[in-house]
């Protein structure tokens, strides 16, 4: 066990370090078969009571996290950026995104998240609208700060009565604008989805240009994206 801990801490290198998982497996097998040889001077009762401690630390994805951080920093000068976290299920994509969220928050950025759902593929812009609904919560949580007032004012000026259309998919928008009246134009509009897409784009333009804090939009489970969200 001491050998393993030293190996993790980097105290053992070269020929003394583990090179293959089979070596680790063999040592673990020996510990089970002959524990007194490996557990000398160890308080076994203390170990059993403390249990296994797990952390959210990423191992083996430092390069990927660094690339996301670089993309975030570049977006400051170019005003936007785009990155895709790809890989098979269980490889740690969500954990990587959570680590990136911590970095964004530490830089006073705003991290909002939407999750695509296989059962919601018939609902246009479901994940995107969910993320913007979360953004409205963030805006409202700032209360009467100059930042939140500026963004809310810009949204009112830009969207006007059209905000009613967005309020159907972003419920928290009503907390900024007040209760909406029924929009007959949207109900009778043949191209309602196209109009909604246009208004969502305007929403993004307003919050990105009015907010002094960088905004990161994370969309999870892209494989379940509805057609409208990826066109």
């Amino acid at each position: 066990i001491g050998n393993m801990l030293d190996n993790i801490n980097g105290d053992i290198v070269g020929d003394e370090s583990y090179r293959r998982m089979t070596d680790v497996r063999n040592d673990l097998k020996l510990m089970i078969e002959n524990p007194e040889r490996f557990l000398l001077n160890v308080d076994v009762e203390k170990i059993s009571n403390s249990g296994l401690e797990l952390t959210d630390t990423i191992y083996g994805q430092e390069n990927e996290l660094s690339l996301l951080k670089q993309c975030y920093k570049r977006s400051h000068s170019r005003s936007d950026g785009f990155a895709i976290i790809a890989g098979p299920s269980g490889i740690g994509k969500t954990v990587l995104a959570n680590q990136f969220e911590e970095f964004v928050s530490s830089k006073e950025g705003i991290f909002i998240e939407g999750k695509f759902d296989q059962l919601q593929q018939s609902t246009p812009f479901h994940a995107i609208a969910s993320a913007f609904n979360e953004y409205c919560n963030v805006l409202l949580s700032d209360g009467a700060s100059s930042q939140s007032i500026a963004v809310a004012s810009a949204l009112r000026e830009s969207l006007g009565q059209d905000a009613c259309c967005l309020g159907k998919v972003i419920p928290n928008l009503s907390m900024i604008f007040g209760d909406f009246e029924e929009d007959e134009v949207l109900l009778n509009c043949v191209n309602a989805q196209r109009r909604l897409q246009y208004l969502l784009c305007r929403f993004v333009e307003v919050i990105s240009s009015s907010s002094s804090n960088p905004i990161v939009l994370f969309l999870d489970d892209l494989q379940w994206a509805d057609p409208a969200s990826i066109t």
Side-chain angles (χ1 to χ4, degrees):
I1 290 178
N3 239 15
M4 289 183 173
L5 294 176
D6 290 340
N7 193 59
I8 293 174
N9 295 330
D11 297 332
I12 295 180
V13 294
D15 294 336
E16 294 182 343
S17 63
Y18 288 106
R19 294 178 178 273
R20 297 179 298 274
M21 284 302 300
T22 53
D23 296 335
V24 179
R25 182 194 62 193
N26 292 338
D27 271 5
L28 290 173
K29 184 178 180 181
L30 286 173
M31 290 179 190
I32 295 173
E33 295 175 349
N34 193 10
E36 64 275 4
R37 178 181 173 186
F38 292 90
L39 299 179
L40 293 177
N41 301 321
V42 174
D43 189 341
V44 178
E45 183 178 355
K46 182 178 180 180
I47 292 177
S48 62
N49 289 335
S50 62
L52 181 63
E53 296 182 4
L54 302 177
T55 69
D56 293 327
T57 304
I58 292 179
Y59 296 100
Q61 294 184 342
E62 293 82 2
N63 291 337
E64 288 80 0
L65 182 58
S66 176
L67 289 173
L68 289 175
K69 291 179 179 179
Q70 291 174 26
C71 182
Y72 176 83
K73 293 174 181 177
R74 286 196 303 268
S75 69
H76 283 247
S77 57
R78 299 188 307 184
S79 76
D80 57 31
F82 179 77
I84 295 179
I85 303 175
S89 177
I91 201 172
K93 300 187 295 296
T94 301
V95 175
L96 178 60
N98 291 340
Q99 289 285 322
F100 181 55
E101 178 181 4
E102 292 180 7
F103 168 77
V104 172
S105 299
S106 71
K107 300 298 181 182
E108 298 185 348
I110 299 174
F111 189 97
I112 55 178
E113 177 182 355
K115 186 179 180 67
F116 289 107
D117 190 328
Q118 184 180 12
L119 301 179
Q120 294 286 348
Q121 286 183 302
S122 61
T123 306
F125 312 114
H126 171 73
I128 297 174
S130 174
F132 291 153
N133 200 49
E134 180 186 345
Y135 173 79
C136 289
N137 268 339
V138 173
L139 196 64
L140 292 166
S141 67
D142 286 341
S145 69
S146 57
Q147 171 71 15
S148 61
I149 293 175
V151 176
S153 176
L155 284 171
R156 291 191 189 95
E157 181 179 351
S158 177
L159 297 177
Q161 292 184 348
D162 286 336
C164 174
C165 305
L166 283 183
K168 296 180 182 299
V169 294
I170 308 177
N172 286 335
L173 201 59
S174 64
M175 302 292 289
I176 298 174
F177 285 80
D179 293 334
F180 297 117
E181 295 182 0
E182 196 69 25
D183 189 346
E184 296 294 338
V185 176
L186 179 64
L187 293 178
N188 299 326
C189 184
V190 176
N191 295 319
Q193 181 174 304
R194 186 174 299 177
R195 183 185 180 193
L196 183 57
Q197 182 179 22
Y198 166 72
L199 291 175
L200 284 170
C201 290
R202 282 178 59 185
F203 183 89
V204 172
E205 290 175 1
V206 172
I207 65 175
S208 59
S209 61
S210 305
S211 176
S212 60
N213 302 92
I215 301 172
V216 174
L217 170 62
F218 172 57
L219 297 174
D220 201 3
D221 285 342
L222 196 59
Q223 72 274 16
W224 303 125
D226 58 279
S229 294
I230 57 178
T231 56

